[in-house]
Amino acid sequence: MKELELKYGCNPNQKPSRIYMNEGKELPIQVLSGRPGYINFMDALNGWQLVRELKKATGLPAATSFKHVSPAGAAVGLPLSDTLRKIYWVDDMGELTPLASAYARARGADRMSSFGDFIALSDVCDAATARLIKREVSDGVIAPGYEPEALEVLRSKKNGNYNVIQIDSDYEPEALERKQVFGVVFEQGHNNLEISRELLTEIVTKNKELPESAVTDLLISLITLKYTQSNSVCYVKDGQAIGIGAGQQSRVHCTRLAGSKADNWYLRQAPQVMNLPFLDGIKRADRDNAIDVYIGDDYMDVLADGRWEKIFKEKPAVFTREEKRAWLDGLTGVSLGSDAFFPFGDNIDRAYKSGVSYVAQPGGSVRDDQVIETCDQYGMVMAFTGVRLFHH
């Protein structure tokens, strides 16, 4: 297939719309189910690149949950603790394969942002992963292949309209890529930068102890940033992104946004959140929404009289600011990557509040000394990668 007509572009008024290859070449994808749209393919192709690189860098199956051309989550296939199984709503699914664990992590870290995602998988989709996907609100999935049972499960989703794309795992793009903006053609070399542990060798802080687990997490962070709309910052813990701040004009706003998402991920593991007395039969999306409000500043929106009765069996106690801060103080060993240099130490101050111990950033600011000094105050390890990872 050399060309695929799409229903419309980014918006319904943007017609006609299609994807095709230059010089009449064959598209590297097959649509096995559904009718993916313009944004679906943008998410699918960016997501596929991300998981392919995660798999190459770590040797582990990888998954990402994409929304509007940025990842909401990304992870590799490490086993899940009982706590994570519960907060990701997969504690009833029995044993998960490594690929299913990767998607549970990618989807579960920021479930609010992942609602209606497009999924990318590094490996052939197995039945366990397909069953996990089937129960979530999602637009589609891309993978290098599908087991017969997995394809049957996915084709049954959305009354047969769920988008399932298979990509040629051997496909490589042309060296030059082009796009138009307002009729003007932009051309640049494809970003073939390989992100590997060699980028983490220039450690500029007094503390130079970088454990292997942190190396893996920093690689995940940097690869995720490579496919996140800039400016962007990514927090990673135990093989998964736990907070991604994308598309902010100010770097510290990226750090705050991603940090607040990382905080929410950890707050969801607090006993008073895990033991919320939800009504029987409440949908997962409604639970996600209620939890997000409960742990935020607007908690009375779900605890007010006349509100809580529609969600909980009994009225939960307020999760106070002091209790939340005390719980968050237990979050440590987090890795943080940035797609461009930190211009001020305030980014490090904010990162520390979300448990960051390890940092990777390009370096090159006129205030590098200030940023290094701030890291040293907190005993952090920071590596200068020397590479920028802007993505637009």
Side-chain angles (χ1 to χ4, degrees):
M1 179 172 59
K2 297 179 174 62
E3 177 179 319
L4 181 63
E5 183 180 353
L6 306 177
K7 189 174 181 180
Y8 51 75
C10 285
N11 300 290
N13 64 292
Q14 292 179 268
K15 299 177 181 178
S17 177
R18 61 174 176 154
I19 60 171
Y20 64 97
M21 301 293 287
N22 287 326
E23 300 175 0
K25 296 179 181 177
E26 292 286 325
L27 284 164
I29 54 93
Q30 289 180 278
V31 177
L32 305 182
S33 179
R35 189 183 179 188
Y38 187 101
I39 296 175
N40 293 151
F41 275 111
M42 294 285 285
D43 287 344
L45 295 174
N46 279 292
W48 164 248
Q49 293 176 83
L50 193 163
V51 297
R52 182 177 69 163
E53 291 192 35
L54 283 183
K55 175 70 179 289
K56 182 177 180 180
T58 67
L60 296 167
T64 187
S65 169
F66 250 72
K67 278 287 292 291
H68 293 292
V69 205
S70 279
V76 294
L78 297 175
L80 297 171
S81 67
D82 289 342
T83 296
L84 291 183
R85 287 175 65 90
K86 185 172 182 179
I87 70 169
Y88 296 164
W89 312 126
V90 297
D91 51 327
D92 62 337
M93 295 200 68
E95 185 175 354
L96 296 177
T97 61
L99 187 63
S101 294
Y103 179 60
R105 287 176 175 275
R107 170 75 185 214
D110 183 2
R111 288 185 60 84
M112 295 286 287
S113 296
S114 288
F115 186 83
D117 63 349
F118 208 97
I119 302 157
L121 306 173
S122 66
D123 291 30
V124 171
C125 181
D126 53 40
T129 306
R131 286 191 290 269
L132 175 57
I133 293 171
K134 184 178 181 180
R135 59 194 275 170
E136 299 291 2
V137 177
S138 170
D139 277 0
V141 59
I142 186 171
Y146 299 85
E147 292 180 356
E149 183 182 351
L151 186 56
E152 182 180 354
V153 169
L154 294 171
R155 279 177 166 164
S156 69
K157 186 174 172 66
K158 290 188 175 181
N159 297 317
N161 294 314
Y162 187 65
N163 295 313
V164 180
I165 302 172
Q166 181 168 321
I167 187 163
D168 179 0
S169 60
D170 294 327
Y171 168 72
E172 294 292 342
E174 294 179 357
L176 292 177
E177 58 187 20
R178 303 168 187 87
K179 68 177 180 180
Q180 283 192 8
V181 178
F182 199 51
V184 177
V185 178
F186 287 65
E187 182 178 270
Q188 65 176 354
H190 183 74
N191 190 355
N192 289 319
L193 174 72
E194 182 173 345
I195 294 175
S196 65
R197 63 182 55 236
E198 282 68 35
L199 293 181
L200 305 175
T201 56
E202 187 185 349
I203 297 177
V204 296
T205 47
K206 293 177 181 177
N207 185 353
K208 301 185 184 299
E209 296 299 318
L210 189 62
E212 192 64 24
S213 59
V215 170
T216 298
D217 286 350
L218 288 172
L219 292 177
I220 292 170
S221 178
L222 295 174
I223 292 169
T224 300
L225 291 168
K226 187 178 175 184
Y227 298 101
T228 303
Q229 296 296 298
S230 300
N231 288 325
S232 55
V233 162
C234 180
Y235 293 65
V236 175
K237 171 77 173 171
D238 296 337
Q240 68 174 94
I242 61 172
I244 301 171
Q248 303 301 301
Q249 288 78 16
S250 164
R251 179 118 342 236
V252 74
H253 288 155
C254 296
T255 307
R256 291 172 185 166
L257 175 59
S260 67
K261 292 183 177 185
D263 292 348
N264 284 356
W265 172 81
Y266 195 64
L267 287 170
R268 284 160 52 201
Q269 301 175 53
Q272 50 267 70
V273 180
M274 293 185 66
N275 296 323
L276 284 169
F278 286 106
L279 292 172
D280 295 335
I282 191 169
K283 294 181 178 179
R284 287 189 300 277
D286 293 325
R287 283 184 290 181
D288 292 334
N289 292 342
I291 289 171
D292 189 72
V293 175
Y294 176 73
I295 62 180
D297 293 334
D298 298 321
Y299 54 85
M300 288 309 297
D301 288 352
V302 292
L303 296 184
D305 291 341
R307 293 283 188 92
W308 70 262
E309 295 92 339
K310 299 176 182 179
I311 305 169
F312 305 111
K313 296 176 181 177
E314 58 187 62
K315 186 176 182 178
V318 172
F319 195 2
T320 68
R321 183 184 299 271
E322 293 75 20
E323 289 172 333
K324 287 188 285 189
R325 186 64 258 169
W327 177 259
L328 287 171
D329 287 342
L331 178 58
T332 60
V334 177
S335 294
L336 172 68
S338 177
D339 65 357
F341 63 68
F342 285 129
F344 299 99
D346 56 357
N347 291 275
I348 304 302
D349 291 327
R350 176 59 188 88
Y352 178 74
K353 294 176 182 177
S354 295
V356 169
S357 302
Y358 312 102
V359 179
Q361 57 127 328
S365 167
V366 295
R367 300 180 186 85
D368 276 348
D369 289 347
Q370 180 197 114
V371 177
I372 294 170
E373 181 182 357
T374 308
C375 284
D376 286 339
Q377 289 175 3
Y378 296 121
M380 292 182 186
V381 179
M382 182 166 66
F384 280 178
T385 65
V387 297
R388 196 177 75 176
L389 296 170
F390 279 176
H391 178 67
H392 291 286

